Amino acid sequence: MALGADGSVALSGWQRKTQRTYIDLLLIDPDSTNKCKMIFTREFNKSGSSCTRCVSYISSGLIVTCCNDTIELINYNQRSSIKSRTFSGRAASMAVSEEGDQQIFVGLYPSNKVIVFSPGLTELKTITLTGLQDGDSVRELGVMGAEHTLCVRTFTGCKALVYNINGDVQTELTAMNNTEANSIAVSSELLMVLWRPDCTLITAHHIPSIIEGGRHPPPTDRDGGRHSSLADGGRHIVVCFEIDESRKIRIKNNRLISVDWSTGELKEYAVEDIFSLPALLPALSSTINENEVAKLANYFAITSDQSITDITTLVQHLKDGGSITPQNIIQLIRACRDLSLNDVARILSIYQKQKYGSCTREELQEILLKLEEENHRNVGVSLCSHLS
């Protein structure tokens, strides 16, 4: 499954009746009776239940698909094949880099290799992923940023791993004792992971923080405070939230699409709605300890008789008092920066950015400046630079 900039959804699979693979492109229309409008469909001659048909968008009107050892460019507006070629290996997964060069990444099966193609299907290089078991391969693949950070879900163990462009593993993600990922989705700086066994919990991980920090040791208690673990001590999780039981997720242009586990129905969620204060609290709770909460309470001149025992009660108190709102947490970000609570400030800043995720960077900076002005307090360093 892949999402297009035009709002369409590309689905690929295998038809049991015809024994052939297919691609369907649907346009979600909530106002229509059927909810989805078919805009393109194609059945392929490649047959057999062992075939994995992958599909991704290159640009408006252009998709790329691969199956077994063949990769093909298709103009779905003109319903025509532009170019195809074969390669050495068998495709298991595919992704297209969205920033800049739009290179195509194809994970092979059973192999730890990923082949990189140009948008014109020229084979550029092969990446060898470290840390995979013998015979393992990439079941799902996402590519993030100009540095081409690879986010993968493996066949064996369904691990969620992050690699640099050289194939060096940066971290393995876990969340609240969940270690098996059912699906992954990449958007801008975030990696969304749908976790087993319930296939309802999604965590959003800030990938640049993982890359900048490299590998991290297991989390430890700090300053005598309780420090629970989400992922690497909660260092990279921004929000946790639940959706209906789903098989697969994808995210594009602030839209999260899931495939219902039992019915196969497509469901759409708005990312700015998902990024709520309740969804933010688990990541904050794993990143801040009691002593640091007490420092924040003192910063906001909250007296000891007001029973601020953890970050949840602190956030609720600030919300009730009007110091923060679900759309504007600038005062809390500023307090964390003043107290050098940098991990907490980073999570809060990413949250604030996502509330305006559909804006351009320039528009976002203008919004944040206005939010700062609303708080009627001076800022030593612009929050815009912290969020850029």
Side-chain angles (χ1 to χ4, degrees), residues 175-214:
M176 292 179 284
N177 299 319
N178 295 308
T179 61
E180 292 189 359
N182 200 69
S183 185
I184 62 172
V186 170
S187 172
S188 184
E189 298 177 339
L190 296 178
L191 169 62
M192 303 280 193
V193 183
L194 174 67
W195 294 99
R196 295 179 178 180
D198 296 332
C199 298
T200 58
L201 174 68
I202 293 180
T203 52
H205 303 254
H206 189 238
I207 298 305
S209 298
I210 296 176
I211 299 302
E212 291 167 8

Side-chain angles (χ1 to χ4, degrees), residues 70-86:
T70 302
I71 185 168
E72 181 179 2
L73 289 176
I74 298 173
N75 186 319
Y76 61 84
N77 286 332
Q78 299 178 1
R79 288 169 164 71
S80 62
S81 176
I82 297 174
K83 185 178 182 180
S84 67
R85 60 160 294 172
T86 59

Side-chain angles (χ1 to χ4, degrees), residues 99-349:
E99 294 190 24
D101 50 24
Q102 294 181 308
Q103 292 181 356
I104 304 163
F105 294 71
V106 177
L108 303 182
Y109 177 86
S111 172
N112 61 349
K113 309 291 184 185
V114 175
I115 303 177
V116 184
F117 298 91
S118 72
L121 302 190
T122 300
E123 188 169 329
L124 302 177
K125 62 182 176 181
T126 298
I127 303 170
T128 301
L129 303 179
T130 62
L132 296 185
Q133 300 179 22
D134 290 342
D136 202 358
S137 55
V138 177
R139 191 165 193 165
E140 279 186 286
L141 178 62
V143 184
M144 179 179 295
E147 299 298 322
H148 294 156
T149 299
L150 303 182
C151 305
V152 311
R153 181 171 73 95
T154 65
F155 270 92
T156 303
C158 296
K159 295 179 180 179
L161 302 171
V162 178
Y163 288 86
N164 62 23
I165 189 59
N166 297 319
D168 302 317
V169 64
Q170 302 299 291
T171 194
E172 176 182 348
L173 302 178
T174 60
M176 292 179 284
N177 299 319
N178 295 308
T179 61
E180 292 189 359
N182 200 69
S183 185
I184 62 172
V186 170
S187 172
S188 184
E189 298 177 339
L190 296 178
L191 169 62
M192 303 280 193
V193 183
L194 174 67
W195 294 99
R196 295 179 178 180
D198 296 332
C199 298
T200 58
L201 174 68
I202 293 180
T203 52
H205 303 254
H206 189 238
I207 298 305
S209 298
I210 296 176
I211 299 302
E212 291 167 8
R215 296 188 182 187
H216 295 283
T220 58
D221 289 349
R222 298 175 298 158
D223 303 328
R226 184 175 177 271
H227 191 190
S228 62
S229 174
L230 288 179
D232 287 335
R235 294 170 62 94
H236 309 130
I237 288 184
V238 183
V239 294
C240 306
F241 57 93
E242 290 193 352
I243 62 173
D244 294 335
E245 187 178 12
S246 301
R247 291 180 181 272
K248 191 167 288 188
I249 56 173
R250 290 293 183 266
I251 186 168
K252 179 90 171 182
N253 293 344
N254 237 26
R255 301 165 61 222
L256 175 68
I257 303 292
S258 72
V259 179
D260 186 270
W261 185 272
S262 57
T263 66
E265 178 185 1
L266 294 178
K267 297 185 177 181
E268 181 172 353
Y269 304 83
V271 173
E272 62 266 27
D273 294 335
I274 290 170
F275 275 74
S276 63
L277 287 178
L280 177 68
L281 290 173
L284 292 181
S285 298
S286 73
T287 310
I288 190 170
N289 60 41
E290 293 178 5
N291 291 342
E292 292 164 338
V293 171
K295 291 178 183 178
L296 279 172
N298 184 63
Y299 182 97
F300 286 101
I302 301 173
T303 59
S304 58
D305 61 344
Q306 292 178 290
S307 301
I308 303 301
T309 58
D310 52 33
I311 190 63
T312 300
T313 54
L314 175 65
V315 167
Q316 187 62 48
H317 180 89
L318 296 177
K319 182 181 176 184
D320 293 343
S323 297
I324 64 173
T325 70
Q327 289 74 35
N328 183 350
I329 57 171
I330 296 296
Q331 285 202 48
L332 184 55
I333 297 173
R334 186 181 303 127
C336 291
R337 293 189 61 177
D338 289 347
L339 296 173
S340 299
L341 303 179
N342 295 328
D343 282 347
V344 183
R346 174 185 51 77
I347 292 173
L348 294 171
S349 297

